[in-house]
Amino acid sequence: MPQLRLDELLEELQARINAARGTRDRVHSLLEAVVSVGRELDLSQVLRRIVEAAALLVDAQYGALGVIGPDGRTLSRFLTVGLTDDEITRIGPLPAGHGILDELIRNPEPLRLTDLGTHEASYGFPAHHPPMRTFLGVPIRVRDEVFGNLYLTDKRGGLDFDAEDESVISTLSVAAGVAIDNARLYEASQRQQRWLRANAEITNSLLSGSPRLEVLELIARRAQEITGAALADVSVPVTGTDDLVVELAIGADGDTRRGLVVPVAGTLSGAAFRAGAPVTTACLPGDDRYTAGPRRFDGLGPAVAVPLGTAAKDTRGVLLLARHRTEPVFTDGELEPLLAFAGQAALALELAARRSDAEQLALLEDRDRIARDLHDLAIQRLFATGMTLQSAARLVQHEGAAERVSRAVDDLDETIKIIRSTIFGLRARDEDAVPSLRARVARAVGETATTLGFPPRLSMEGLLDTDVRPEVADHVTAALTEMLSNAARHAHATRVEVVLRATADEVVLTVTDNGRGIPEGGRRSGLSNLAERARGVGGTLTTERPERGGSRLVWRAPLGVDHAG
């Protein structure tokens, strides 16, 4: 009997020693986890370390960390351990905060469950989600703010999470809150330094006289890099309309967005343009407030549109930034430097406009000088040369030589007429006369950008404003409007090119698109109208099919300009 009692005492002592050793080892593991979490400064790495350490400390098969979004009701980020990439892909979108997850968001207190499926708040699992039974959830607080929650499921060995597990994870959550706060402060200081460097770079670019589009691209690219955006667009208003055109597009297939025309009403950029203040959304493609414009934001999520100006009436454009759907939303702390950055962009646009006005004024003054020199010097010299040749022609006995001199005199007369026509064009002012053909064509092309969804390419050559008669100019403008309208309604094109050229004998209008072409046997009332209009001024209309597809319409009319006098 004494030997039996001694064995029992020794066994009890050994059990206590083992328990003490286990407690010591667990405390040691907890301290190691706290040190490991606190060692990181990158926020993403801190969060990843926290959830990995939590799962390891309580021997959980699955772990997750959900970051609560700005609305305080949903999760903006969700990190997991224990699931493979293939499992995550099959499960689909990450949880937003329903069921048990929502229970912990609404009531941020530790929660232990033996079977989470029996809880009244249980929401069930999506398809392809592994089964989970035991559950331990603990909130993470950063100062007085609930930053997110730790979720742990399925303790290995089929055991339940106990009070000691809850105590260990609660202790870890306190250390995690400190580590997260330090990481956020470090991230904010680093981001502030990057903004300062970018501001200095842009200021230097502005003062060095860089082109407007180059400065805008620098602004958009730096904003995209610093905010981690997948997309950065700069949109400017289309004169005389309630639309914006994407002048600059970076990232996320920017070539397809550049040149797109979007309405002010029903778009994120339009809302910021109209309000003169930043506008944000947690999910750009799915936001019910912004349903207009082309669907070009699939796969993206949080977005912000920042006006380029100090007030609604001074807004010169909008900077749009959008992140991938798995990225966090834009916070108030990010909007403040963005507004200052947008002020730099507005300054770039203002300086570019002032520089353009100065260049235009210099151009007009230079035109006046050229016109004056042509009239006072060139024409007088050519006239004197012609008079001399006419006098010399009477003394030339050789018939062939006399004919050549006569042709030279005629060429000089023709040159004088062309120079006079050029002088008239140089001295013409929009405010002093009916809008020129160039101006009317440019306006028609600009207005069609709204219906096409992109601006057509335009090039003009020759003496369009002096050699084309007013009645022919009217027909040219009407024919162009009809061609562009047909392209917008029927061609389904993504590129339209307009070329207007005046030669010595005729004016030629060519409109080319890459659409589906002119169908055989289709309605041709529009083409008939164009052909009739051409015949009315003695011209023609021809239709062609380029090698790369689409259609090409060529409308011609003779100039019929009388240069006499």
Side-chain angles (χ1 to χ4, degrees), residues 444-460:
V445 170
E447 291 173 351
T448 312
T450 303
T451 53
L452 285 172
F454 57 88
R457 296 182 179 180
L458 172 64
S459 64
M460 294 183 279

Side-chain angles (χ1 to χ4, degrees), residues 37 40-50 65 67 77 79 142 147 176-188 191 328:
V37 167
E40 293 288 345
L41 286 175
D42 179 76
L43 183 58
S44 297
Q45 291 297 325
V46 168
L47 299 181
R48 173 63 59 183
R49 291 241 183 186
I50 290 171
L65 192 156
V67 180
R77 296 178 71 176
L79 292 82
V142 177
F147 176 82
V178 175
I180 291 170
D181 193 30
N182 289 338
R184 291 202 300 188
L185 290 173
Y186 176 77
E187 188 177 75
R191 187 167 54 244

Side-chain angles (χ1 to χ4, degrees), residues 296-318:
R296 58 190 190 281
F297 299 123
D298 293 338
L300 298 176
V304 58
V306 185
L308 307 181
T310 56
K313 62 180 181 179
D314 299 327
T315 301
R316 292 180 169 271
V318 178

